[in-house]
Amino acid sequence: MIKVLVTGGTGYIGSHTTVELQNNGYEVIIVDNLANSNAGVVDSIERITGIRPTFEKVDCTDDATMKKVFAAYPGIKGIIHFAADKAVGESVEKPLKYYRNNIDSLLTLLELMPKNGVESIVFSSSCTVYGQPSPEYLPVSEQAPIQPATSPYGNTKQINEEIIRDAIHSGAPYKSIVLRYFNPIGAHPTSEIGELPSGVPQNLVPFLTQTAAGIRKELSVFGNDYNTPDGSCIRDYINVVDLAKAHVIAMDRMLKNRSGVALEYFNLGTGKGLSVLELIHAFEKATGVKVPYKIVARREGDIEQIWADPNYANEVLGWKAVESIEDTLRSAWKWQQRT
Ligand code: UD1
C-alpha cells in the first residue's frame, strides 16, 4: 500500500480526505496537534472505513518530532498538507501566530521531503488568493490574477503558494498540486465526521445549523446592500466529500506521473454562485427547518462575490462536484443534530 502523510488529518477537510484515501487503498498516517480537532475523529474514521489510520499527535512546525515521524514510518510517498490556522478574523488579531504556524509547517515539510524520498505534496489553498475578482474574471479560472491578500490568513496561503513555486523552480525533487478551495460545507453522509468549530462559529453554515438547532438565537446576514441580485454576498459552496475526492485524484496524478509537470493549480468549486439569502432558503427547503435571521452591517474584509470556473479541474483531473446543495445542507443538518 502507498503511504501518505496527512497533516491536519483530524480536522474538517483532513478527516474527510483520510476516509477517501483509505477507501482508495492508501495507507494514511495522520499528524495533527489537535489545536482545532480531537483524537476521537480517528475512531470515527475507523467506523466509516473499517481501517484505523495511524495517528501521531504532532505539531508540524516541530522539526525534531517530524523527523522522528518520517523515521518511524519509512516510505511515505506523498503528503497532503492541511495543518494550518484558518480563521480570517483571528489572523488579523494574531498575525504572528498565523505566519509562524502556517509558514513554518510547510517549510518543515518541504525540507524533510527530499531527505525522506517523499515525491509529492498536495497543498490546501484557497480562492482567497484571487481577492475580489473583477467582473471579467467571474467565474474564476486559474488564470485570474492573484491579488493582494486582505488578511494575514490569506497572505499565508499566498506565501505558501510562492514557497512551493520557488522550491520547485529551484529543482526540488518533488511535485506539487495546489488546490484552491471555494467554500467547503456539509458532512460525511454517515454523520461520523463533520465540521466541529470551537466556540462561536465564524463560518456561515456551522452558524446556520447551530441557529436552526436553537443554540444561537438568530443568524446575522452580513450585509444586503452588495451589488448582487439580492444584495447579499455570493460564494461557491462545495460539498466536503466531493472536495476530499479531488485530493485522492491529485495524489494519484502525481504518484502515477500523469501530468508530466512538477506544479499544477486547480480551482475546486461547483461553478455555481449562491447568495447568503439563497443558501438560507435552500437550507429551509431541504430540511423543513426555519432559520431565524436578521440583516446586519457588512463584515469587514468580506468579498462581495466569487465563484469558481471548475472546467480545468473537471477536464484535467476528471473530477466534478456532484452532490446537490440540498443533500449537502441536509448532511450538515444531520451532523449538527448528532453533535
Ligand atoms: C473565507 C475565505 C476562505 C477561507 C475561509 C476560512 C474568501 C473569499 N474566503 O471564507 O478562503 O478559507 O474564510 O474560514 O476570502 N456570513 C454571514 N453570517 C455569518 C457568517 C458568514 O452572513 O454569520 C456570510 C459572509 O459574509 C460570506 C458568507 O456568509 O458572504 C460565507 O462566509 P464564511 O463561511 O465565513 O466564508 P468566507 O468568508 O467566504
Side-chain angles (χ1 to χ4, degrees):
M1 273 209 277
I2 299 175
K3 279 186 205 159
V4 172
L5 180 75
V6 179
T7 76
T10 51
Y12 176 42
I13 308 173
S15 58
H16 289 81
T17 299
T18 297
V19 166
E20 297 307 319
L21 285 166
Q22 292 188 333
N23 284 343
N24 284 278
Y26 282 99
E27 180 181 339
V28 178
I29 295 122
I30 292 176
V31 291
D32 200 306
N33 65 2
L34 302 182
N36 198 21
S37 60
N38 66 76
V41 170
V42 179
D43 302 324
S44 306
I45 293 169
E46 185 179 5
R47 280 196 292 274
I48 298 172
T49 62
I51 302 162
R52 192 170 184 81
T54 300
F55 169 67
E56 296 286 352
K57 182 175 179 298
V58 175
D59 191 313
C60 256
T61 63
D62 177 352
D63 180 69
T65 312
M66 284 304 293
K67 276 187 184 132
K68 289 185 192 153
V69 170
F70 282 105
Y73 304 99
I76 290 171
K77 287 283 167 242
I79 297 176
I80 304 188
H81 181 40
F82 295 105
D85 288 315
K86 61 148 202 159
V88 175
E90 188 195 35
S91 79
V92 178
E93 309 288 319
K94 299 177 184 163
L96 299 187
K97 175 184 176 197
Y98 276 68
Y99 286 114
R100 172 66 75 193
N101 190 32
N102 292 6
I103 291 170
D104 251 11
S105 52
L106 178 71
L107 289 175
T108 302
L109 294 172
L110 294 184
E111 283 175 354
L112 289 173
M113 283 174 71
K115 295 175 190 155
N116 293 282
V118 185
E119 295 168 13
S120 54
I121 180 164
V122 175
F123 178 64
S124 176
S125 191
S126 165
C127 69
T128 194
V129 301
Y130 299 116
Q132 174 60 64
S134 51
E136 72 265 31
Y137 288 112
L138 279 172
V140 181
S141 79
E142 292 76 1
Q143 265 67 56
I146 304 297
Q147 301 203 65
T150 52
S151 71
Y153 158 78
N155 206 21
T156 66
K157 292 295 175 194
Q158 293 201 3
I159 294 169
N160 277 346
E161 286 199 6
E162 288 166 359
I163 290 171
I164 292 171
R165 180 200 64 200
D166 292 348
I168 288 191
H169 180 76
S170 77
Y174 47 77
K175 293 181 177 178
S176 183
I177 290 184
V178 172
L179 299 177
R180 293 175 178 152
Y181 315 147
F182 283 67
N183 288 56
I185 62 164
H188 197 268
T190 59
S191 302
E192 286 284 356
I193 51 175
E195 191 169 5
L196 258 185
S198 49
V200 180
Q202 305 296 307
N203 294 111
L204 177 61
V205 169
F207 200 105
L208 184 156
T209 58
Q210 289 194 6
T211 307
I215 299 167
R216 314 271 162 212
K217 198 167 127 271
E218 59 192 353
L219 169 69
S220 296
V221 174
F222 297 138
N224 70 346
D225 56 353
Y226 284 100
N227 185 23
T228 60
D230 67 21
S232 63
C233 292
I234 294 175
R235 297 285 185 277
D236 185 333
Y237 295 95
I238 173 162
N239 181 287
V240 67
V241 176
D242 277 339
L243 186 71
K245 289 178 176 164
H247 295 74
V248 180
I249 297 172
M251 189 49 75
D252 282 349
R253 181 172 171 83
M254 287 189 285
L255 294 180
K256 293 175 186 158
N257 206 8
R258 293 208 180 106
S259 68
V261 293
L263 176 59
E264 292 180 294
Y265 302 86
F266 295 99
N267 287 351
L268 299 182
T270 65
K272 192 172 170 351
L274 219 60
S275 75
V276 176
L277 293 171
E278 283 173 328
L279 184 110
I280 295 170
H281 296 133
F283 178 88
E284 292 181 333
K285 194 166 151 250
T287 62
V289 182
K290 272 266 171 241
V291 181
Y293 70 87
K294 64 171 180 214
I295 310 290
V296 302
R298 292 180 176 195
R299 180 170 72 177
E300 205 193 316
D302 256 338
I303 279 161
E304 179 176 276
Q305 46 187 320
I306 185 162
W307 67 98
D309 174 351
N311 279 317
Y312 187 64
N314 294 165
E315 283 159 25
V316 176
L317 291 181
W319 166 90
K320 199 173 183 344
V322 293
E323 296 296 337
S324 70
I325 188 75
E326 287 79 15
D327 284 345
T328 302
L329 290 170
R330 269 193 289 272
S331 74
W333 178 228
K334 214 170 124 198
W335 166 247
Q336 174 66 53
Q337 288 171 295
R338 182 177 161 149
T339 48

mmCIF file of all heavy atoms in Angstrom, residues 86-88 126-128 153 181-183 201-205 207 219-222 233-235 237 276 299 302-303 306, ligand 1:
data_model
loop_
_atom_site.group_PDB
_atom_site.id
_atom_site.type_symbol
_atom_site.label_atom_id
_atom_site.label_comp_id
_atom_site.label_asym_id
_atom_site.label_seq_id
_atom_site.Cartn_x
_atom_site.Cartn_y
_atom_site.Cartn_z
ATOM 1 N N LYS A 86 -6.982 28.859 10.371
ATOM 2 C CA LYS A 86 -7.802 29.281 9.213
ATOM 3 C C LYS A 86 -8.876 30.323 9.502
ATOM 4 O O LYS A 86 -9.750 30.553 8.653
ATOM 5 C CB LYS A 86 -8.431 28.056 8.570
ATOM 6 C CG LYS A 86 -9.353 27.290 9.498
ATOM 7 C CD LYS A 86 -10.484 26.624 8.761
ATOM 8 C CE LYS A 86 -11.619 26.345 9.678
ATOM 9 N NZ LYS A 86 -12.893 26.159 9.075
ATOM 10 N N ALA A 87 -8.821 30.944 10.674
ATOM 11 C CA ALA A 87 -9.863 31.944 10.950
ATOM 12 C C ALA A 87 -9.396 33.331 10.504
ATOM 13 O O ALA A 87 -8.404 33.865 11.009
ATOM 14 C CB ALA A 87 -10.211 31.935 12.431
ATOM 15 N N VAL A 88 -10.112 33.872 9.524
ATOM 16 C CA VAL A 88 -9.707 35.145 8.930
ATOM 17 C C VAL A 88 -9.621 36.236 10.003
ATOM 18 O O VAL A 88 -8.611 36.942 10.112
ATOM 19 C CB VAL A 88 -10.707 35.552 7.818
ATOM 20 C CG1 VAL A 88 -10.373 36.927 7.264
ATOM 21 C CG2 VAL A 88 -10.721 34.508 6.707
ATOM 22 N N SER A 126 -6.640 28.318 -1.134
ATOM 23 C CA SER A 126 -7.981 28.901 -1.043
ATOM 24 C C SER A 126 -8.223 29.883 -2.173
ATOM 25 O O SER A 126 -7.286 30.534 -2.660
ATOM 26 C CB SER A 126 -8.077 29.634 0.298
ATOM 27 O OG SER A 126 -9.185 30.482 0.324
ATOM 28 N N CYS A 127 -9.496 30.039 -2.520
ATOM 29 C CA CYS A 127 -9.867 31.044 -3.516
ATOM 30 C C CYS A 127 -9.579 32.450 -3.005
ATOM 31 O O CYS A 127 -9.647 33.406 -3.764
ATOM 32 C CB CYS A 127 -11.331 30.920 -3.877
ATOM 33 S SG CYS A 127 -12.441 31.389 -2.536
ATOM 34 N N THR A 128 -9.251 32.552 -1.739
ATOM 35 C CA THR A 128 -8.918 33.863 -1.176
ATOM 36 C C THR A 128 -7.738 34.503 -1.914
ATOM 37 O O THR A 128 -7.603 35.720 -1.920
ATOM 38 C CB THR A 128 -8.651 33.740 0.349
ATOM 39 O OG1 THR A 128 -8.661 35.036 0.920
ATOM 40 C CG2 THR A 128 -7.350 33.052 0.663
ATOM 41 N N TYR A 153 -4.266 35.616 7.256
ATOM 42 C CA TYR A 153 -4.587 34.240 6.852
ATOM 43 C C TYR A 153 -4.422 34.084 5.340
ATOM 44 O O TYR A 153 -3.737 33.179 4.856
ATOM 45 C CB TYR A 153 -6.019 33.877 7.282
ATOM 46 C CG TYR A 153 -6.600 32.740 6.471
ATOM 47 C CD1 TYR A 153 -6.234 31.424 6.740
ATOM 48 C CD2 TYR A 153 -7.474 32.980 5.405
ATOM 49 C CE1 TYR A 153 -6.733 30.386 5.978
ATOM 50 C CE2 TYR A 153 -7.973 31.945 4.641
ATOM 51 C CZ TYR A 153 -7.604 30.655 4.926
ATOM 52 O OH TYR A 153 -8.084 29.625 4.156
ATOM 53 N N TYR A 181 -9.546 25.905 -2.768
ATOM 54 C CA TYR A 181 -10.938 25.570 -2.440
ATOM 55 C C TYR A 181 -11.791 26.819 -2.442
ATOM 56 O O TYR A 181 -11.374 27.861 -1.973
ATOM 57 C CB TYR A 181 -11.062 24.986 -1.028
ATOM 58 C CG TYR A 181 -10.069 23.949 -0.617
ATOM 59 C CD1 TYR A 181 -9.664 23.890 0.708
ATOM 60 C CD2 TYR A 181 -9.561 23.016 -1.513
ATOM 61 C CE1 TYR A 181 -8.762 22.935 1.143
ATOM 62 C CE2 TYR A 181 -8.663 22.057 -1.079
ATOM 63 C CZ TYR A 181 -8.257 22.026 0.242
ATOM 64 O OH TYR A 181 -7.364 21.088 0.685
ATOM 65 N N PHE A 182 -13.041 26.637 -2.839
ATOM 66 C CA PHE A 182 -14.033 27.682 -2.622
ATOM 67 C C PHE A 182 -14.616 27.439 -1.213
ATOM 68 O O PHE A 182 -13.840 27.275 -0.286
ATOM 69 C CB PHE A 182 -14.993 27.745 -3.817
ATOM 70 C CG PHE A 182 -14.277 28.446 -4.960
ATOM 71 C CD1 PHE A 182 -13.183 27.847 -5.596
ATOM 72 C CD2 PHE A 182 -14.593 29.747 -5.311
ATOM 73 C CE1 PHE A 182 -12.437 28.528 -6.556
ATOM 74 C CE2 PHE A 182 -13.859 30.429 -6.275
ATOM 75 C CZ PHE A 182 -12.783 29.820 -6.901
ATOM 76 N N ASN A 183 -15.915 27.367 -0.990
ATOM 77 C CA ASN A 183 -16.389 27.261 0.402
ATOM 78 C C ASN A 183 -16.864 25.845 0.731
ATOM 79 O O ASN A 183 -18.006 25.487 0.408
ATOM 80 C CB ASN A 183 -17.518 28.267 0.645
ATOM 81 C CG ASN A 183 -17.012 29.698 0.710
ATOM 82 O OD1 ASN A 183 -16.369 30.161 -0.222
ATOM 83 N ND2 ASN A 183 -17.265 30.377 1.798
ATOM 84 N N PRO A 201 -19.160 29.811 15.927
ATOM 85 C CA PRO A 201 -18.681 29.603 14.555
ATOM 86 C C PRO A 201 -18.534 30.920 13.795
ATOM 87 O O PRO A 201 -19.370 31.821 13.941
ATOM 88 C CB PRO A 201 -19.789 28.764 13.914
ATOM 89 C CG PRO A 201 -20.623 28.252 15.014
ATOM 90 C CD PRO A 201 -20.457 29.180 16.172
ATOM 91 N N GLN A 202 -17.480 31.017 13.027
ATOM 92 C CA GLN A 202 -17.259 32.209 12.196
ATOM 93 C C GLN A 202 -17.819 31.986 10.794
ATOM 94 O O GLN A 202 -18.165 32.937 10.110
ATOM 95 C CB GLN A 202 -15.758 32.506 12.074
ATOM 96 C CG GLN A 202 -15.037 32.644 13.409
ATOM 97 C CD GLN A 202 -15.540 33.820 14.212
ATOM 98 O OE1 GLN A 202 -15.586 34.938 13.705
ATOM 99 N NE2 GLN A 202 -15.950 33.577 15.449
ATOM 100 N N ASN A 203 -17.884 30.738 10.383
ATOM 101 C CA ASN A 203 -18.332 30.431 9.021
ATOM 102 C C ASN A 203 -19.844 30.301 8.971
ATOM 103 O O ASN A 203 -20.496 30.002 9.977
ATOM 104 C CB ASN A 203 -17.660 29.153 8.508
ATOM 105 C CG ASN A 203 -16.163 29.335 8.332
ATOM 106 O OD1 ASN A 203 -15.376 28.763 9.069
ATOM 107 N ND2 ASN A 203 -15.768 30.138 7.382
ATOM 108 N N LEU A 204 -20.375 30.528 7.785
ATOM 109 C CA LEU A 204 -21.830 30.625 7.639
ATOM 110 C C LEU A 204 -22.571 29.343 8.017
ATOM 111 O O LEU A 204 -23.519 29.384 8.809
ATOM 112 C CB LEU A 204 -22.148 31.019 6.181
ATOM 113 C CG LEU A 204 -23.626 31.093 5.821
ATOM 114 C CD1 LEU A 204 -24.356 32.135 6.668
ATOM 115 C CD2 LEU A 204 -23.795 31.419 4.333
ATOM 116 N N VAL A 205 -22.184 28.215 7.441
ATOM 117 C CA VAL A 205 -23.031 27.018 7.607
ATOM 118 C C VAL A 205 -23.051 26.497 9.044
ATOM 119 O O VAL A 205 -24.126 26.205 9.570
ATOM 120 C CB VAL A 205 -22.688 25.942 6.546
ATOM 121 C CG1 VAL A 205 -23.348 24.611 6.873
ATOM 122 C CG2 VAL A 205 -23.151 26.440 5.174
ATOM 123 N N PHE A 207 -22.751 28.248 11.719
ATOM 124 C CA PHE A 207 -23.573 29.198 12.481
ATOM 125 C C PHE A 207 -25.049 28.965 12.162
ATOM 126 O O PHE A 207 -25.912 28.952 13.044
ATOM 127 C CB PHE A 207 -23.161 30.657 12.177
ATOM 128 C CG PHE A 207 -23.610 31.598 13.261
ATOM 129 C CD1 PHE A 207 -22.688 32.115 14.178
ATOM 130 C CD2 PHE A 207 -24.947 31.942 13.419
ATOM 131 C CE1 PHE A 207 -23.102 32.949 15.213
ATOM 132 C CE2 PHE A 207 -25.366 32.778 14.443
ATOM 133 C CZ PHE A 207 -24.441 33.282 15.350
ATOM 134 N N LEU A 219 -29.316 34.087 13.076
ATOM 135 C CA LEU A 219 -28.160 34.208 12.199
ATOM 136 C C LEU A 219 -28.071 35.652 11.721
ATOM 137 O O LEU A 219 -29.087 36.240 11.331
ATOM 138 C CB LEU A 219 -28.353 33.260 11.004
ATOM 139 C CG LEU A 219 -27.393 33.393 9.827
ATOM 140 C CD1 LEU A 219 -25.987 32.942 10.212
ATOM 141 C CD2 LEU A 219 -27.889 32.556 8.656
ATOM 142 N N SER A 220 -26.889 36.227 11.765
ATOM 143 C CA SER A 220 -26.689 37.572 11.207
ATOM 144 C C SER A 220 -26.256 37.438 9.760
ATOM 145 O O SER A 220 -25.256 36.767 9.476
ATOM 146 C CB SER A 220 -25.607 38.319 11.987
ATOM 147 O OG SER A 220 -26.018 38.529 13.312
ATOM 148 N N VAL A 221 -26.990 38.060 8.880
ATOM 149 C CA VAL A 221 -26.581 38.115 7.466
ATOM 150 C C VAL A 221 -25.772 39.390 7.304
ATOM 151 O O VAL A 221 -26.292 40.500 7.519
ATOM 152 C CB VAL A 221 -27.813 38.113 6.538
ATOM 153 C CG1 VAL A 221 -27.393 38.325 5.089
ATOM 154 C CG2 VAL A 221 -28.596 36.818 6.700
ATOM 155 N N PHE A 222 -24.508 39.221 6.943
ATOM 156 C CA PHE A 222 -23.607 40.377 6.902
ATOM 157 C C PHE A 222 -23.796 41.188 5.616
ATOM 158 O O PHE A 222 -23.028 41.057 4.677
ATOM 159 C CB PHE A 222 -22.154 39.910 7.027
ATOM 160 C CG PHE A 222 -21.843 39.222 8.331
ATOM 161 C CD1 PHE A 222 -21.040 38.075 8.361
ATOM 162 C CD2 PHE A 222 -22.336 39.706 9.544
ATOM 163 C CE1 PHE A 222 -20.724 37.450 9.568
ATOM 164 C CE2 PHE A 222 -22.034 39.081 10.750
ATOM 165 C CZ PHE A 222 -21.237 37.947 10.766
ATOM 166 N N CYS A 233 -23.878 38.569 -0.111
ATOM 167 C CA CYS A 233 -22.648 38.095 -0.782
ATOM 168 C C CYS A 233 -22.860 36.747 -1.473
ATOM 169 O O CYS A 233 -23.653 35.925 -1.013
ATOM 170 C CB CYS A 233 -21.537 37.883 0.229
ATOM 171 S SG CYS A 233 -20.924 39.368 0.976
ATOM 172 N N ILE A 234 -22.104 36.526 -2.507
ATOM 173 C CA ILE A 234 -22.197 35.262 -3.264
ATOM 174 C C ILE A 234 -20.916 34.452 -3.108
ATOM 175 O O ILE A 234 -19.808 34.984 -3.207
ATOM 176 C CB ILE A 234 -22.486 35.568 -4.752
ATOM 177 C CG1 ILE A 234 -23.880 36.194 -4.873
ATOM 178 C CG2 ILE A 234 -22.356 34.310 -5.610
ATOM 179 C CD1 ILE A 234 -24.248 36.650 -6.272
ATOM 180 N N ARG A 235 -21.119 33.141 -2.863
ATOM 181 C CA ARG A 235 -19.995 32.202 -2.735
ATOM 182 C C ARG A 235 -20.327 30.916 -3.491
ATOM 183 O O ARG A 235 -21.487 30.649 -3.813
ATOM 184 C CB ARG A 235 -19.761 31.811 -1.259
ATOM 185 C CG ARG A 235 -19.360 32.938 -0.353
ATOM 186 C CD ARG A 235 -17.910 33.340 -0.591
ATOM 187 N NE ARG A 235 -17.485 34.346 0.372
ATOM 188 C CZ ARG A 235 -17.714 35.656 0.244
ATOM 189 N NH1 ARG A 235 -18.383 36.126 -0.799
ATOM 190 N NH2 ARG A 235 -17.275 36.500 1.157
ATOM 191 N N TYR A 237 -20.408 27.167 -2.766
ATOM 192 C CA TYR A 237 -20.383 26.215 -1.651
ATOM 193 C C TYR A 237 -20.211 24.805 -2.188
ATOM 194 O O TYR A 237 -21.042 24.319 -2.955
ATOM 195 C CB TYR A 237 -21.680 26.329 -0.833
ATOM 196 C CG TYR A 237 -21.796 27.686 -0.171
ATOM 197 C CD1 TYR A 237 -22.507 28.730 -0.772
ATOM 198 C CD2 TYR A 237 -21.161 27.945 1.037
ATOM 199 C CE1 TYR A 237 -22.579 29.982 -0.181
ATOM 200 C CE2 TYR A 237 -21.226 29.195 1.644
ATOM 201 C CZ TYR A 237 -21.940 30.208 1.021
ATOM 202 O OH TYR A 237 -22.007 31.447 1.606
ATOM 203 N N VAL A 276 -25.987 34.493 0.270
ATOM 204 C CA VAL A 276 -26.237 34.078 1.656
ATOM 205 C C VAL A 276 -27.734 33.814 1.837
ATOM 206 O O VAL A 276 -28.131 32.790 2.420
ATOM 207 C CB VAL A 276 -25.743 35.158 2.650
ATOM 208 C CG1 VAL A 276 -26.094 34.765 4.087
ATOM 209 C CG2 VAL A 276 -24.241 35.377 2.511
ATOM 210 N N ARG A 299 -19.596 42.603 7.001
ATOM 211 C CA ARG A 299 -18.441 42.168 7.786
ATOM 212 C C ARG A 299 -17.180 42.696 7.103
ATOM 213 O O ARG A 299 -17.016 42.536 5.891
ATOM 214 C CB ARG A 299 -18.420 40.633 7.831
ATOM 215 C CG ARG A 299 -17.268 40.049 8.610
ATOM 216 C CD ARG A 299 -17.419 38.563 8.823
ATOM 217 N NE ARG A 299 -17.218 37.783 7.601
ATOM 218 C CZ ARG A 299 -17.240 36.449 7.552
ATOM 219 N NH1 ARG A 299 -17.481 35.745 8.660
ATOM 220 N NH2 ARG A 299 -17.047 35.816 6.421
ATOM 221 N N ASP A 302 -14.963 41.260 3.884
ATOM 222 C CA ASP A 302 -15.677 40.275 3.068
ATOM 223 C C ASP A 302 -15.573 40.608 1.586
ATOM 224 O O ASP A 302 -15.566 41.767 1.189
ATOM 225 C CB ASP A 302 -17.167 40.220 3.452
ATOM 226 C CG ASP A 302 -17.518 39.005 4.280
ATOM 227 O OD1 ASP A 302 -16.758 38.021 4.223
ATOM 228 O OD2 ASP A 302 -18.545 39.042 4.984
ATOM 229 N N ILE A 303 -15.522 39.566 0.809
ATOM 230 C CA ILE A 303 -15.528 39.720 -0.645
ATOM 231 C C ILE A 303 -16.977 39.680 -1.108
ATOM 232 O O ILE A 303 -17.780 38.909 -0.566
ATOM 233 C CB ILE A 303 -14.655 38.610 -1.245
ATOM 234 C CG1 ILE A 303 -13.198 39.053 -1.120
ATOM 235 C CG2 ILE A 303 -15.011 38.301 -2.683
ATOM 236 C CD1 ILE A 303 -12.230 37.946 -1.235
ATOM 237 N N ILE A 306 -17.807 35.710 -5.398
ATOM 238 C CA ILE A 306 -16.777 34.878 -6.038
ATOM 239 C C ILE A 306 -17.337 33.468 -6.211
ATOM 240 O O ILE A 306 -17.978 32.935 -5.298
ATOM 241 C CB ILE A 306 -15.454 34.884 -5.227
ATOM 242 C CG1 ILE A 306 -14.358 34.102 -5.975
ATOM 243 C CG2 ILE A 306 -15.641 34.343 -3.810
ATOM 244 C CD1 ILE A 306 -12.959 34.403 -5.484
HETATM 245 C C1 UD1 B 1 -13.282 32.891 3.958
HETATM 246 C C2 UD1 B 1 -12.297 32.827 2.827
HETATM 247 C C3 UD1 B 1 -11.816 31.420 2.636
HETATM 248 C C4 UD1 B 1 -11.319 30.847 3.925
HETATM 249 C C5 UD1 B 1 -12.440 30.861 4.924
HETATM 250 C C6 UD1 B 1 -11.889 30.311 6.225
HETATM 251 C C7 UD1 B 1 -12.693 34.344 0.955
HETATM 252 C C8 UD1 B 1 -13.445 34.580 -0.298
HETATM 253 N N1 UD1 B 1 -12.933 33.210 1.573
HETATM 254 O O1 UD1 B 1 -14.464 32.347 3.506
HETATM 255 O O2 UD1 B 1 -10.757 31.414 1.729
HETATM 256 O O3 UD1 B 1 -10.868 29.540 3.727
HETATM 257 O O4 UD1 B 1 -12.838 32.219 5.120
HETATM 258 O O5 UD1 B 1 -12.789 30.467 7.262
HETATM 259 O O6 UD1 B 1 -11.876 35.126 1.390
HETATM 260 N N2 UD1 B 1 -21.829 35.123 6.601
HETATM 261 C C9 UD1 B 1 -22.959 35.678 7.197
HETATM 262 N N3 UD1 B 1 -23.180 35.427 8.511
HETATM 263 C C10 UD1 B 1 -22.344 34.660 9.272
HETATM 264 C C11 UD1 B 1 -21.196 34.088 8.655
HETATM 265 C C12 UD1 B 1 -20.969 34.350 7.325
HETATM 266 O O7 UD1 B 1 -23.737 36.379 6.548
HETATM 267 O O8 UD1 B 1 -22.602 34.502 10.470
HETATM 268 C C13 UD1 B 1 -21.599 35.340 5.160
HETATM 269 C C14 UD1 B 1 -20.287 36.031 4.836
HETATM 270 O O9 UD1 B 1 -20.462 37.432 4.790
HETATM 271 C C15 UD1 B 1 -19.973 35.444 3.481
HETATM 272 C C16 UD1 B 1 -20.589 34.047 3.503
HETATM 273 O O10 UD1 B 1 -21.521 34.075 4.572
HETATM 274 O O11 UD1 B 1 -20.621 36.174 2.490
HETATM 275 C C17 UD1 B 1 -19.583 32.955 3.748
HETATM 276 O O12 UD1 B 1 -18.802 33.298 4.881
HETATM 277 P P1 UD1 B 1 -17.767 32.280 5.553
HETATM 278 O O13 UD1 B 1 -18.423 30.972 5.759
HETATM 279 O O14 UD1 B 1 -17.180 32.956 6.745
HETATM 280 O O15 UD1 B 1 -16.660 32.049 4.452
HETATM 281 P P2 UD1 B 1 -15.825 33.122 3.589
HETATM 282 O O16 UD1 B 1 -15.691 34.395 4.323
HETATM 283 O O17 UD1 B 1 -16.379 33.131 2.226
#
